[in-house]
């Protein structure tokens, strides 16, 4: 007899919980699952926003058969291959700041500032700096390096350099924040013992810091790998516009061009599905790596 009120209370709490979750579920379904389902459906159609014609796998055949997908992924791959370099830079700067380099507090603010700026603002700033008559070319001319004062955005190689510089500049502050949090959790006596034993700065970095920062490094690598597949739109749109030609056009920017400039919404949906598969695969690898590390630890 005493268990009935308790049972009724639990049932009431369960009903209240379900009712409370329903609005969020409906909102997620309307804003996420419905657009996802329609994108998958329209990837098998020829769609201009009004008229829909079923074409089966024609969009995917065009995407992979023409080799367009590899051209778009080339830009993403260039950024992907640049991630290890920003990792080394970010980790080295983080260690220096953690060890109390003179002016560390000031440099923390300076390095973190680009992170709070939107990618559009960073992109417009970079486009202005590397314009033919911009600050960079003006400075090079004044110091007698006229040969290096070029139209940076007119060449594929230099355009990529500008894009990667923008990516590095904004990523640096985020990475420093991640690694400083990881370094703060390290036992200080480990570094002190290494210093007493005569280990130099680089030896401490590679033999002690790097192994102990494995979770932070994994997080940094995976999140930035995902970013270079889904987050380059703002940089490319504001800096190069995908040019010269289509040489700096990543997959996410091509989705925009196909849908809103070419009116090929079905083809753009197919591109979106391919991007979805890539991002889900990377997220799965992230979860797997973290689970493996947790088990090993």
């Amino acid at each position: 007899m005493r268990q009935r009120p308790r049972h009724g209370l639990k049932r009431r709490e369960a009903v209240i919980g379900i009712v409370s979750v329903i609005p969020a579920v409906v909102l997620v379904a309307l804003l996420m699952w419905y657009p996802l389902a329609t994108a998958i459906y329209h990837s098998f159609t020829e769609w201009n926003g009004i008229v829909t014609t079923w074409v089966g796998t024609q969009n995917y055949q065009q995407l992979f058969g023409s080799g367009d997908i590899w051209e778009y992924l080339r830009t993403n791959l260039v950024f992907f291959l640049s991630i290890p370099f920003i990792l080394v830079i970010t980790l080295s700067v983080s260690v220096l700041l953690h060890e109390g380099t003179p002016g560390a507090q000031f440099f923390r603010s300076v390095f973190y500032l680009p992170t709070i700026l939107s990618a559009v603002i960073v992109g417009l700033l970079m486009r202005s700096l590397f314009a033919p008559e911009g600050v960079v070319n003006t400075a090079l001319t004044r110091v007698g390096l006229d040969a290096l004062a070029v139209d940076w955005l007119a060449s594929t190689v230099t355009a990529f350099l500008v894009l990667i510089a923008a990516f590095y500049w904004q990523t640096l502050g985020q990475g420093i924040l991640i690694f400083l949090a990881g370094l703060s959790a390290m036992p200080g006596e480990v570094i002190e013992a290494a210093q007493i034993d005569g280990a130099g700065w680089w030896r401490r970095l590679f033999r002690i810091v790097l192994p102990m920062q494995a979770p932070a490094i994994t997080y940094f690598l995976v999140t930035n790998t995902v970013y270079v597949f889904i987050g380059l739109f703002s940089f490319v749109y504001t800096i190069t516009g995908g040019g010269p030609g289509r040489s700096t056009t990543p997959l996410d920017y091509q989705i925009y061009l196909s849908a809103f400039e070419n009116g090929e919404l079905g083809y753009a949906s197919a591109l979106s599905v391919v991007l979805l598969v890539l991002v889900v695969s990377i997220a799965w690898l992230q979860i797997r790596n973290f689970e493996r590390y947790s088990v090993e630890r």
Side-chain angles (χ1 to χ4, degrees):
M1 296 295 294
R2 295 180 179 178
Q3 293 181 354
R4 290 182 180 178
R6 183 180 300 177
H7 179 72
L9 180 61
K10 290 183 178 180
R11 185 176 181 180
R12 182 182 178 185
E13 290 177 349
V15 172
I16 293 175
I18 293 173
V19 173
S20 301
V21 170
I22 287 177
V25 173
V26 172
L27 190 63
V28 170
L30 290 175
L31 297 181
M32 295 184 63
W33 296 114
Y34 175 73
L36 175 61
T38 56
I40 294 174
Y41 167 75
H42 285 298
S43 69
F44 296 98
T45 67
E46 184 178 336
W47 180 40
N48 61 5
I50 301 175
V51 180
T52 302
T53 304
W54 182 266
V55 295
T57 60
Q58 180 177 321
N59 290 324
Y60 293 98
Q61 291 175 0
Q62 176 186 349
L63 179 59
F64 290 96
S66 63
D68 288 346
I69 183 65
W70 312 119
E71 182 179 356
Y72 306 143
L73 287 177
R74 181 188 63 183
T75 298
N76 299 99
L77 182 60
V78 170
F79 278 86
F80 174 73
L81 294 177
S82 72
I83 292 177
F85 298 99
I86 185 60
L87 170 63
V88 173
I89 295 172
T90 304
L91 190 57
S92 301
V93 172
S94 300
V95 173
L96 289 173
L97 294 177
H98 179 71
E99 292 183 350
T101 302
Q105 295 299 327
F106 170 75
F107 286 112
R108 286 189 185 192
S109 302
V110 171
F111 289 139
Y112 188 72
L113 179 61
T115 304
I116 64 177
L117 300 177
S118 70
V120 174
I121 294 177
V122 174
L124 291 174
L125 178 60
M126 285 293 178
R127 184 178 181 87
S128 175
L129 289 174
F130 289 92
E133 303 298 329
V135 174
V136 173
N137 282 346
T138 301
L140 291 173
T141 302
R142 289 185 177 179
V143 297
L145 299 175
D146 304 63
L148 299 179
V150 298
D151 188 352
W152 294 85
L153 303 181
S155 169
T156 301
V157 175
T158 53
F160 267 119
L161 291 176
V162 176
L163 287 170
I164 291 174
F167 170 59
Y168 275 24
W169 191 47
Q170 192 171 48
T171 304
L172 182 63
Q174 172 207 11
I176 289 175
L177 189 65
I178 294 171
F179 290 127
L180 282 178
L183 291 169
S184 298
M186 285 179 53
E189 55 271 14
V190 175
I191 301 296
E192 293 176 1
Q195 290 175 335
I196 294 174
D197 291 339
W201 190 86
W202 288 105
R203 189 170 185 178
R204 295 199 306 272
L205 176 65
F206 287 102
R207 295 294 181 89
I208 299 176
V209 176
L210 287 180
M212 297 187 69
Q213 292 302 306
I217 292 173
T218 301
Y219 176 79
F220 179 85
L221 289 175
V222 175
T223 53
N224 279 282
T225 298
V226 173
Y227 181 81
V228 300
F229 282 98
I230 66 173
L232 297 179
F233 176 88
S234 300
F235 283 144
V236 174
Y237 182 81
T238 53
I239 298 176
T240 66
R246 295 193 307 180
S247 60
T248 61
T249 302
L251 191 55
D252 56 342
Y253 186 63
Q254 183 59 39
I255 293 173
Y256 165 79
L257 295 177
S258 298
F260 300 106
E261 291 196 4
N262 302 334
E264 300 174 346
L265 295 175
Y267 184 71
S269 298
L271 285 170
S272 300
V273 172
V274 172
L275 181 60
L276 172 66
V277 172
L278 286 172
V279 172
V280 168
S281 300
I282 294 171
W284 176 77
L285 289 174
Q286 177 184 13
I287 295 173
R288 183 180 179 185
N289 286 334
F290 277 122
E291 288 180 347
R292 178 182 300 175
Y293 176 79
S294 298
V295 171
E296 291 177 355
R297 189 172 181 180

